[in-house]
Amino acid sequence: MAASSASRYCLFLAGLVLILLSLSSLTSLANEAESDESVFSSGATQQQLHVAPAKPTRYLLYDINPGEGFNLRRDVYMRIANLVKALNEVEPWILVLPPWGRLYHWKSRGLNQLKIPWSTFFEVLSLSYHIPVIEYEDYIKVTGEPQIDLVYYLQNYAEGWTDGKWEEKIDERDCIDNQLYKKNSDGKYRGWFWGYSETYANEFKCLSVQAMAGQMLPILTKNISVRSVMLDRADELLHDRYGQVDYWRARRSLRFAKHLRDIGDEFRRINLDSNDEKDKTEVIDDWREMRKEPSSAIGGPYIAAHLRRQDYARNNRKDVPSLQNAAEHLKKLLKEHKLKKLFISTDAPKFEIKELKDHLTGYEVYNYVPPKAVLENFMDGGVAIIDQWISAHARYFIGTGTSTFSFRIHEERQILGFDPKMTYNRFCGDGESDSCDQPTVWNIQW
Ligand SMILES: Nc1nc2c(ncn2[C@@H]2O[C@H](COP(=O)(O)OP(=O)(O)OP(=O)(O)O)[C@@H](O)[C@H]2O)c(=O)[nH]1
Ligand SMILES: *[C@@H]1O[C@H](CO)[C@@H](O)[C@H](O)[C@H]1NC(C)=O
């Protein structure tokens, strides 16, 4: 009797602490964020109250190889999100969203593209409908310290694949080449930590991995005294079930921020004669309630092309077309679909865009050039999202082979309900035949 009432009292106390925590994070956030939806990172805390108030909340953090681009990072988010979903079936875990910054492709000058919260680019509330999430700066506020209990640095196996055969395994190993985390005289590990120089870790280990994200679960849950774990080089982990239900749920939850979609919508309306009602591309506020009939979307009266240039064009890749050949193909498509308008999404420099337009005289060719305020507020990542959003609403889309930027547009169009034939297309490179392999169709699994 005594024992059970004592443990009930403990439960009550733990619950109270959680409520206080969520309240304090709420109010401090509300002060800062005013009308910002991002307050609901803490939707997380609420959700987790229903799960198991007795177990203490644990936090998963992650980072990615600095060389990786924005859209591969979105893919890694889906892998880690579903690991966190699996963890929550055991005990309450919150995913700490890694601040954006220092990306190789983000080259606009005069901008400080560092420590960018997820709410700049994505709807954090939408994310929290899939798994509990919190922004990094809120994590510091809630835990009271810029501290992480344990960092696992994920690496390959020094010996490579044994017998040339891939098998699933994870082992604690000596670090192969890691000089990135250093133990200071105070016993704390210092590292990059998204540019937060005050952040430190208490423990640091290297893990050799050849595994799906879900296989980290036993390692993460084994020691309850470790409250926060960071996985660096999380891109080493693979999808548990690529293209399956949870993949798509994570993907559907990864919605672009409303302020960016609004800018794209305005551009469509003014230049491309495109609006959701006419184009049958309405978005429902809560993605869990949005299930478009396949091929129900019509899209605006324009073709959208994603032309990945820069390093793709410089490296003489055989799957990249010359601007002239890309233009010839686009003319053919415009005739075929009886359209006059073309939207170009590209990372090409101005002179290449001009060259492309010169090859397309007689057609209305648009590309999105951000006003100064948009660039300042939402930076290169925001502009890329606006390009993707406009491309996602075209009647017909054609992208660049192997570009994850194009792949994310494919998915966006599946969610909006386009016919896959109008989506899964790519330019054939100058080094390929005109009947080159087209992208694989991935239908949404529900
Ligand atoms: N605004 C804009 N930016 C683009 C476009 N294409 C590429 N970029 C920029 O270049 C980056 C390309 O990197 P990713 O997003 O990783 O896509 P990727 O094409 O697979 O490139 P890699 O990762 O280098 O193979 C984007 O994140 C953008 O910053 C485009 O059409 N519009
Ligand atoms: C669990 O983690 C704590 C804190 O890092 C550490 O002191 C302890 O040795 C760990 N226990 C085991 C069994 O690894």
Side-chain angles (χ1 to χ4, degrees):
M1 280 300 268
S4 93
S5 69
S7 72
R8 219 175 299 144
Y9 184 61
C10 275
L11 260 176
F12 168 72
L13 271 187
L16 195 68
V17 167
L18 272 175
I19 290 165
L20 287 178
L21 263 182
S22 62
L23 281 182
S24 72
S25 74
L26 275 190
T27 40
S28 65
L29 280 170
N31 292 341
E32 230 170 60
E34 302 263 323
S35 67
D36 195 336
E37 298 267 38
S38 75
V39 171
F40 273 33
S41 5
S42 326
T45 322
Q46 280 188 332
Q47 207 165 308
Q48 151 252 316
L49 270 174
H50 299 294
V51 182
K55 294 190 184 173
T57 302
R58 301 174 74 184
Y59 295 91
L60 188 70
L61 302 94
Y62 74 97
D63 201 1
I64 293 175
N65 183 355
E68 300 297 349
F70 191 53
N71 288 290
L72 182 99
R73 286 166 188 266
R74 289 173 63 193
D75 185 74
V76 175
Y77 171 81
M78 294 185 254
R79 305 175 211 173
I80 302 302
N82 285 331
L83 166 61
V84 170
K85 181 163 184 264
L87 285 167
N88 272 280
E89 281 156 27
V90 180
E91 57 194 13
W93 281 80
I94 297 180
L95 180 62
V96 182
L97 300 166
W100 295 96
R102 201 179 64 161
L103 261 58
Y104 163 78
H105 301 99
W106 291 355
K107 290 180 176 149
S108 287
R109 285 155 193 273
L111 298 175
N112 182 24
Q113 309 203 50
L114 205 62
K115 302 186 182 178
I116 305 169
W118 278 57
S119 58
T120 303
F121 302 137
F122 300 101
E123 295 287 315
V124 176
L125 178 64
S126 275
L127 299 177
S128 77
Y129 294 156
H130 184 55
I131 51 151
V133 294
I134 187 170
E135 300 265 20
Y136 181 67
E137 293 197 5
D138 297 336
Y139 164 80
I140 302 177
K141 281 183 203 145
V142 171
T143 58
E145 233 186 324
Q147 185 268 63
I148 299 165
D149 288 345
L150 168 63
V151 172
Y152 280 126
Y153 184 91
L154 309 185
Q155 58 184 18
N156 295 324
Y157 280 82
E159 67 272 27
W161 298 4
T162 35
D163 312 328
K165 191 166 122 261
W166 195 89
E167 53 178 352
E168 283 167 16
K169 50 182 181 175
I170 302 179
D171 295 285
E172 217 171 278
R173 290 288 179 90
D174 290 338
C175 299
I176 298 173
D177 58 2
N178 182 61
Q179 299 296 318
L180 297 166
Y181 292 85
K182 291 223 166 58
K183 194 175 191 166
N184 281 7
S185 52
D186 55 5
K188 294 167 176 171
Y189 289 90
R190 302 283 171 173
W192 165 246
F193 295 121
W194 316 281
Y196 288 84
S197 54
E198 66 282 15
T199 298
Y200 64 90
N202 288 337
E203 260 191 287
F204 174 82
K205 289 172 180 168
C206 285
L207 272 189
S208 288
V209 297
Q210 239 172 238
M212 325 278 171
Q215 260 127 6
M216 287 298 300
L217 189 139
I219 294 165
L220 295 172
T221 50
K222 74 175 177 210
N223 185 346
I224 191 78
S225 358
V226 180
R227 295 290 303 279
S228 49
V229 185
M230 169 170 167
L231 306 177
D232 195 356
R233 298 300 187 275
D235 43 303
E236 290 287 340
L237 297 167
L238 308 174
H239 282 283
D240 285 292
R241 279 174 288 273
Y242 186 86
Q244 299 308 301
V245 175
D246 273 337
Y247 172 91
W248 279 106
R249 285 185 70 82
R251 178 61 183 83
R252 284 154 63 215
S253 77
L254 188 55
R255 273 204 174 167
F256 294 137
K258 181 82 165 54
H259 52 253
L260 298 175
R261 288 186 274 142
D262 285 347
I263 295 170
D265 289 343
E266 172 93 342
F267 187 93
R268 289 166 54 212
R269 191 175 58 74
I270 293 174
N271 301 295
L272 298 167
D273 190 18
S274 168
N275 69 64
D276 288 342
E277 207 181 328
K278 197 159 58 71
D279 303 349
K280 303 240 181 300
T281 48
E282 278 109 338
V283 171
I284 291 163
D285 273 347
D286 182 342
W287 59 264
R288 292 169 298 182
E289 286 160 18
M290 179 161 160
R291 181 168 179 170
K292 290 300 204 58
E293 286 298 320
S295 309
S296 59
I298 299 170
Y302 60 101
I303 284 176
H306 173 232
L307 275 168
R308 182 73 168 76
R309 302 292 297 173
Q310 299 284 357
D311 43 331
Y312 277 42
R314 276 196 302 273
N315 297 344
N316 281 321
R317 297 164 55 123
K318 72 171 177 41
D319 56 348
V320 170
S322 64
L323 293 174
Q324 173 154 20
N325 284 345
E328 291 310 319
H329 188 61
L330 286 168
K331 279 186 212 165
K332 222 175 79 199
L333 289 170
L334 286 161
K335 285 199 192 95
E336 200 176 304
H337 293 274
K338 301 192 173 59
L339 295 169
K340 278 269 169 237
K341 289 176 191 268
L342 179 64
F343 177 75
I344 303 286
S345 169
T346 184
D347 56 344
K350 277 202 192 102
F351 76 90
E352 284 193 355
I353 298 176
K354 183 176 177 305
E355 183 190 329
L356 188 71
K357 287 183 176 173
D358 288 345
H359 290 306
L360 286 158
T361 44
Y363 292 95
E364 285 181 52
V365 186
Y366 297 87
N367 63 305
Y368 179 73
V369 181
K372 194 156 165 283
V374 169
L375 187 59
E376 280 172 5
N377 290 330
F378 309 121
M379 300 163 281
D380 291 321
V383 173
I385 286 173
I386 295 167
D387 266 346
Q388 286 183 315
W389 187 245
I390 300 169
S391 301
H393 287 78
R395 178 113 357 123
Y396 180 97
F397 173 74
I398 180 167
T400 300
T402 74
S403 165
T404 55
F405 189 103
S406 292
F407 294 166
R408 298 290 90 80
I409 294 173
H410 297 162
E411 293 158 357
E412 205 66 45
R413 291 174 62 88
Q414 289 290 49
I415 294 167
L416 288 169
F418 280 94
D419 176 349
K421 282 201 292 295
M422 306 302 257
T423 292
Y424 287 91
N425 307 294
R426 73 163 178 102
F427 289 99
C428 296
D430 286 3
E432 295 175 303
S433 81
D434 290 348
S435 57
C436 64
D437 284 342
Q438 293 299 302
T440 310
V441 175
W442 292 97
N443 286 313
I444 302 186
Q445 302 298 307
W446 300 91

